[in-house]
Amino acid sequence: MSKTLTSESLVTVLGAGPNGGPSVEPSLPAKDLVKLYETMVMVRLVDERMLTLQRQGRIGFYLTATGEEASHIGCSFALKDSDWIFPAYREPGAAFLRGLTLKDFVCQLYGNTGDPIKGRQMPNHISSRDHNYVSISSPVGTQIPQAVGASWGAKIMGDDMVSLVFFGDGTSSQGDFHVGLNFAGVFKTPTIFLCRNNGYAISVPLEKQTASKTIVIKAKAYGIAGVRVDGNDILAVYEVTKQAAERARAGEGPTLIEAVTYRRGAHSSSDDPRKYRDDDEVMSWLERDPIDRFGGFLRERGIWDDGKQAKLEEDIKAEIAEAIVYAEKLGIPPVETMFDDVYAEIPPELERQKQYHLEHFSKSSG
Ligand SMILES: Cc1ncc(C[n+]2csc(CCOP(=O)(O)OP(=O)(O)O)c2C)c(N)n1
């Protein structure tokens, strides 16, 4: 793609975006296109199954990425594995792309002994040091200055690292968003800010969140590049992020990407969106489903067909079932493990607390 994509108009490749926009040819080979598609389908099927598990009372909480698969998978694919990702909580595909296993993902939802983060976080808040997928913190927006700081550090040290930080439209109302963008602009940090504009922050619609016409317009105020992209068009998201990463590595500083998409499901398993939005609105976004659009494109190009689709779904469902069986056999981490990983050598006071807990728990369980 030759054209430099930094604009407030909506960038789209697959062409069926709500507001139209420039059409660009994807620069990826067929095997990569298939990998992107398979990851999108995996996220969709994982979400469906995990939400059912929550409804069955087998896990406590779940957040889906349904309808937003393109916006997070497309941009993650444009980075190197050595780049750091600072996720919000709706981007599991970014971790799967980097090789996070379904078993690790499911064990984290159960908070069991197989959980890579030892049951210390809410479900859906997985992190993985091996995959440069940084800890998710529940207070929204904290990840933004962290991503800026990490990429600033990398720049000072002459490291080639770019950081990609995800957040929703509601999070653009947090002070952390403004602090992060301002700092990144001043110090020209290699940071990509990826706002998944999915229309809602729990029950609050975008128009009650900001008086600006768009999110991307805020990039202007901070003197950084901004691109508004059709977030349900995975190839468009990939292309704009690739260009943002190239700019960042060339020392040209940060980019704010507004990926326009829609949160098809509830905010979380604790929310009922029928209380604050119409079914008609949800239905209108079904036509723009990112998986159907990309699948249609692959079929048109002769890269995908019904047989491949059936096999893919069968394989993913089997892998999910296996991960659940594995996770449900494991127990919760022993209480004393909460004292691990804090100090190289446990200080006397903490040791005393550990012994107290051990005594208390063995008494209450006996
Ligand atoms: C600082 C802070 N305030 C409020 C909350 C409660 N909360 C959790 S998610 C959320 C909505 C965030 O919306 P958005 O940034 O648009 O992301 P989305 O959930 O749509 O992906 C809110 C208000 C929180 N976690 N942290």
Side-chain angles (χ1 to χ4, degrees):
M1 191 172 51
S2 52
K3 197 166 164 205
T4 299
L5 298 172
T6 50
S7 75
E8 281 165 38
S9 61
L10 197 79
V11 175
T12 185
V13 174
L14 295 174
N19 306 328
S23 196
V24 287
E25 262 301 296
S27 57
L28 288 167
K31 78 167 184 19
D32 288 349
L33 298 176
V34 168
K35 179 164 185 178
L36 286 174
Y37 182 73
E38 289 178 345
T39 310
M40 291 169 90
V41 175
M42 175 160 159
V43 168
R44 181 71 58 93
L45 294 178
V46 166
D47 276 354
E48 281 173 15
R49 187 70 190 94
M50 297 306 129
L51 198 55
T52 308
L53 277 188
Q54 195 280 333
R55 295 304 189 228
Q56 293 169 337
R58 290 156 74 182
I59 57 173
F61 178 77
Y62 196 73
L63 291 144
T64 66
T66 305
E68 299 182 54
E69 296 88 351
S71 59
H72 75 276
I73 294 170
C75 54
S76 308
F77 199 67
L79 294 188
K80 298 181 187 172
D81 284 353
S82 50
D83 294 327
W84 285 25
I85 294 180
F86 291 75
Y89 41 70
R90 227 184 273 288
E91 299 91 14
F96 294 147
L97 270 181
R98 289 192 168 186
L100 182 86
T101 66
L102 252 182
K103 279 188 178 152
D104 281 352
F105 181 79
V106 174
C107 283
Q108 197 277 326
L109 295 171
Y110 280 83
N112 61 21
T113 51
D115 172 4
I117 47 175
K118 304 184 180 179
R120 293 172 182 181
Q121 261 283 23
M122 280 183 73
N124 280 103
H125 287 59
I126 196 162
S127 53
S128 173
R129 189 176 190 146
D130 290 345
H131 300 105
N132 291 325
Y133 195 78
V134 179
S135 285
I136 300 171
S137 51
S138 286
V140 299
T142 48
Q143 71 274 26
I144 298 175
Q146 291 164 3
V148 174
S151 58
W152 188 38
K155 182 176 170 172
I156 291 169
M157 292 191 300
D159 186 336
D160 189 31
M161 183 274 252
V162 168
S163 61
L164 166 65
V165 55
F166 288 105
F167 51 94
D169 43 291
T171 301
S172 70
S173 300
Q174 285 287 107
D176 282 345
F177 169 85
H178 300 280
V179 166
L181 264 72
N182 188 58
F183 196 100
V186 172
F187 291 94
K188 278 188 173 284
T189 64
T191 320
I192 301 173
F193 301 93
L194 196 298
C195 177
R196 289 178 292 90
N197 176 0
N198 64 14
Y200 287 90
I202 311 186
S203 57
V204 181
L206 179 66
E207 59 275 14
K208 290 195 178 160
Q209 200 69 242
T210 177
S212 302
K213 258 173 72 186
T214 62
I215 301 282
V216 77
I217 199 170
K218 297 168 198 279
K220 267 195 182 159
Y222 296 111
I224 70 174
V227 198
R228 192 161 190 261
V229 63
D230 179 345
N232 283 6
D233 177 340
I234 192 158
L235 297 179
V237 177
Y238 169 79
E239 294 294 351
V240 298
T241 313
K242 196 171 125 222
Q243 291 199 354
E246 280 162 10
R247 279 195 294 274
R249 283 190 228 285
E252 291 169 32
T255 302
L256 171 63
I257 299 173
E258 176 185 355
V260 181
T261 180
Y262 189 73
R263 197 198 74 210
R264 284 248 295 276
H267 168 71
S268 73
S269 53
S270 313
D271 171 47
D272 180 0
R274 289 170 304 180
K275 302 272 184 220
Y276 54 82
R277 69 182 188 190
D278 291 336
D279 279 352
D280 290 354
E281 184 186 293
V282 182
M283 295 309 284
S284 73
W285 279 87
L286 286 182
E287 289 161 25
R288 285 170 265 178
D289 181 76
I291 298 185
D292 289 350
R293 283 174 67 190
F294 191 40
F297 169 84
L298 295 181
R299 283 164 194 262
E300 260 172 36
R301 301 251 164 149
I303 300 171
W304 200 252
D305 57 35
D306 288 350
K308 287 180 179 162
Q309 182 72 25
K311 167 101 177 60
L312 175 67
E313 290 185 19
E314 192 187 318
D315 288 351
I316 294 172
K317 284 179 183 168
E319 201 186 335
I320 296 172
E322 195 188 319
I324 296 170
V325 170
Y326 174 80
E328 292 192 338
K329 280 193 187 137
L330 301 174
I332 58 166
V335 68
E336 62 271 24
T337 61
M338 75 174 167
F339 295 93
D340 295 343
D341 312 314
V342 183
Y343 296 97
E345 273 175 47
I346 188 161
E349 175 55 17
L350 211 54
E351 182 58 39
R352 194 192 61 74
Q353 289 181 23
K354 180 176 170 180
Q355 292 311 322
Y356 174 85
H357 274 266
L358 281 172
E359 209 181 301
H360 173 77
F361 273 86
S362 58
K363 265 189 202 148
S364 56
S365 61

